[in-house]
Amino acid sequence: MNLEPKRIGTILIALAFLSGCATAGKDVTATYVSPTQYSNYDCDQIRSEMGRLGDRVNELTGRLDQAATNDKAILVGGGLLFWPALFALGGTKQQEAELGRLKGEFEALQSAATQKKCS
């Protein structure tokens, strides 16, 4: 099988794109968290915790969105001009996991608030 250098470059770019790019914040799914862990919270505590988690979710979502944008730029520039730049893709898996956990906690808090009839 004789592959042209151009075709090899295209394959490398596709592999890098599929394996290393950061995920946009909106695409990170929530990890299940049981609402029972908040059963001892009153409505004020639930609201306070939701505010704290909401701020952190927004912060991480912004970081991941920026990383995803940067990865797309590196992918295009790296693939066309300087392929070693492709090794700089990704690196945000910890943040993605944290965001998924926080989204799950937020959903659990919403469920706890509903159960307690918080307004």
Side-chain angles (χ1 to χ4, degrees):
M1 186 165 147
N2 188 9
L3 293 176
E4 302 171 18
K6 188 176 184 179
R7 182 166 242 184
I8 292 172
T10 302
I11 292 170
L12 287 174
I13 291 169
L15 287 174
F17 181 73
L18 293 173
S19 64
C21 288
T23 303
K26 67 179 176 59
D27 296 329
V28 174
T29 57
T31 304
Y32 176 76
V33 174
S34 174
T36 58
Q37 77 179 38
Y38 300 107
S39 62
N40 292 331
Y41 282 39
D42 62 30
C43 291
D44 287 337
Q45 290 172 313
I46 290 173
R47 275 190 289 280
S48 175
E49 188 66 7
M50 287 177 79
R52 186 188 69 77
L53 287 178
D55 290 344
R56 183 69 178 140
V57 164
N58 289 335
E59 178 187 342
L60 278 176
T61 298
R63 284 185 188 177
L64 288 172
D65 289 349
Q66 185 61 51
T69 300
N70 291 346
D71 281 0
K72 288 177 188 171
I74 289 170
L75 181 64
V76 171
L80 298 176
L81 304 172
F82 188 63
W83 65 267
L86 296 175
F87 294 109
L89 294 174
T92 59
K93 297 302 177 198
Q94 251 183 340
Q95 289 178 341
E96 291 172 20
E98 181 182 1
L99 181 57
R101 180 184 54 79
L102 292 173
K103 284 182 173 183
E105 287 183 29
F106 195 85
E107 288 177 0
L109 283 163
Q110 287 177 317
S111 180
T114 299
Q115 289 172 356
K116 291 185 179 277
K117 297 180 173 67
C118 298
S119 55

